[in-house]
Amino acid sequence: MQTPLYDFMKAYAESGFTRFHMPGHKGKKFVGYEDIDITEFYGADSLYEADGIIAASEQNATNLFGTKNTFYSAEGSSQCIRAMMYLAMINKKGTSRPKIVAARNVHKSFIYAATLLDFDIVWLWPKGDIRSLCSCEVSRDDLEDTLRNMEETPAAVYITSPDYLGGMADIKGLSEVCHKYGTILIVDNAHGAYLKFLTPSLHPMDLGADICCDSAHKTLPVVTGGAYLHISKDAPESFGEYAKYALALFGSTSPSYLIMASLDLCNKYLSESYKERLEKTIGVIEDCKEILKTNGWQLEKTDPLKITISAPDGMTGLGIADILRRNRIECEYSDPEYVVLMATPENNEEDFSRLINSLGKNERAYSDKISLPIKNTESVMTVRNAVFSEHEMISSKDGYGRICRELTVACPPAIPIAVPGEIISEDMVKLFEYYGVENINVVKQAGF
Ligand SMILES: Cc1ncc(COP(=O)(O)O)c(C=O)c1O
């Protein structure tokens, strides 16, 4: 597969042209990559009006993912999520305020989209024993119940899969329900770009989602910020037509060519022996998981590239992360209950041996764990109105009864405990304590 974007940048770096254009480094090396760091000038195309080398590179990505369109983002899935919500808004029927049905474990960029685009959210809450803010399993039946009871069809249903712990939703089943009720399924697949290259593919575009985003940088060899916005062949026509505009609405007018070049080179990498490398790595991860289990560690069911370890009695996920750090291993995420490791084919076998050796044998028991009180709560203002309200910072311990004004999240996983406009419940106060959130921003109200 060709790499039109990277080839152009490299040729320009070697051309000896005098640079009387941005960026200001003029190709001189400060960090080390400035020679190929260019901007939108003659021949270099333009991300949001692409018809040259960027369009050719995006076409390569489109072919690889088998979508109707795959567009680049140099500003992560965060930009794509805002763009996807804009597309849902312009596709909405009827005149009432737009509603999005969403599983509660959204990344905060979804709430930022609600702030900017002013839509209402109908939450799907987790059920059963809840051990993390990161998970929110939604069954077909749950979704069907919600959609059946809504007066008006929502603009979209929004699901995060894989979630931060590696949990995967039934995208096929959920997309069938969405289409039966005349709405679309949007998937935050930030953690799952690689799912396309499994046999069979588990990518949302192959399971019936209408649009999704992938953070290429999370699981593929792409530098931070590189992401895809995918549009399925069955999605409404307007999506392909307006996607670039939707991305431009929320992006910089100077998108990074370095990030785009990384996406461009990744196309070539994916088109060569990636599938085999991925399969081999998944085998190594499975072996590693088996050894960890034999050594007494409890693992969660995850997508193939994650290893999520549960903390036994008397330990926390944060404590396990510290042990790993002392052994020169940095994890992706840890909280009181879990530690999450993300692997890719770029990890080598020594990495897995180091992991196994660092953790050693676990002699502690796993008793029944607490269930977190993540529950339906009353919302008294729109997200947007709350965010634009007068506000004050208070200790999270004093939050009960106040209206949330600003997202209260620990980052990672950047998943909200309280959403702007919601009345902070006693349960939320407990969750703030559990996740170490000390201060919260609330709407200023008389009487408090
Ligand atoms: C589930 C999920 N969605 C979206 C994002 C945002 O992705 P990006 O960092 O590519 O903007 C993240 C970031 O960690 C995430 O975990």
Side-chain angles (χ1 to χ4, degrees), residues 5 46 59 64 87 108 125 141 159 188 200 203 216 223 234 250 257 273 278 288 292 302-303 348 375 428-429 446:
L5 197 43
S46 164
Q59 187 56 52
L64 277 168
L87 292 174
K108 63 181 176 181
W125 293 88
D141 291 347
I159 297 288
D188 171 353
H203 194 275
V223 296
D234 299 324
F250 303 107
Y257 270 72
S273 54
L278 179 64
C288 171
L292 291 174
T302 64
D303 71 85
N348 57 36
K375 291 186 201 145
M428 284 171 172
V429 174

Side-chain angles (χ1 to χ4, degrees), residues 187-339:
V187 179
D188 171 353
N189 184 49
H191 290 241
Y194 77 96
L195 296 172
K196 173 71 197 174
F197 304 94
L198 299 175
T199 313
S201 161
L202 291 181
H203 194 275
M205 285 291 99
D206 294 314
L207 299 176
D210 294 272
I211 28 175
C212 82
C213 63
D214 305 348
S215 295
H217 68 93
K218 291 195 200 300
T219 59
L220 301 177
V222 167
V223 296
T224 300
Y228 309 113
L229 172 61
H230 300 292
I231 297 174
S232 90
K233 290 184 174 142
D234 299 324
E237 273 301 305
S238 61
F239 286 11
E241 235 171 275
Y242 290 106
K244 281 280 182 188
Y245 178 70
L247 286 161
L249 260 184
F250 303 107
S252 164
T253 52
S254 304
S256 164
Y257 270 72
L258 291 170
I259 296 174
M260 290 191 278
S262 181
L263 288 163
D264 188 44
L265 286 175
C266 185
N267 289 336
K268 184 163 177 342
Y269 175 89
L270 294 174
S271 70
E272 293 172 351
S273 54
Y274 178 69
K275 253 187 163 192
E276 293 75 48
R277 283 167 59 75
L278 179 64
E279 199 178 320
K280 189 165 165 247
T281 303
I282 290 171
V284 174
I285 294 173
E286 278 168 6
D287 292 346
C288 171
K289 286 181 172 177
E290 276 315 306
I291 297 172
L292 291 174
K293 280 190 218 160
T294 311
N295 287 349
W297 297 98
Q298 189 173 295
L299 303 186
E300 296 303 302
K301 193 163 176 278
T302 64
D303 71 85
L305 289 187
K306 281 204 181 75
I307 303 174
T308 301
I309 306 169
S310 228
D313 297 351
M315 277 186 106
T316 63
L318 300 154
I320 299 175
D322 274 342
I323 295 173
L324 294 175
R325 212 163 281 128
R326 284 200 291 277
N327 286 279
R328 294 185 302 120
I329 296 175
E330 192 55 54
C331 68
E332 168 57 34
Y333 168 69
S334 61
D335 68 15
E337 199 70 16
Y338 299 107
V339 60

Side-chain angles (χ1 to χ4, degrees), residues 73 75-82 105-110 134 158 160-164 188-191 213-218 224-228 306 332 342 411-415:
S73 158
E75 293 168 67
S77 284
S78 302
Q79 181 193 15
C80 300
I81 289 168
R82 295 177 181 104
N105 59 340
V106 289
H107 181 260
K108 63 181 176 181
S109 47
F110 173 81
C134 301
Y158 182 91
T160 303
S161 175
D163 65 37
Y164 223 107
D188 171 353
N189 184 49
H191 290 241
C213 63
D214 305 348
S215 295
H217 68 93
K218 291 195 200 300
T224 300
Y228 309 113
K306 281 204 181 75
E332 168 57 34
M342 283 173 82
C411 192
I415 297 167

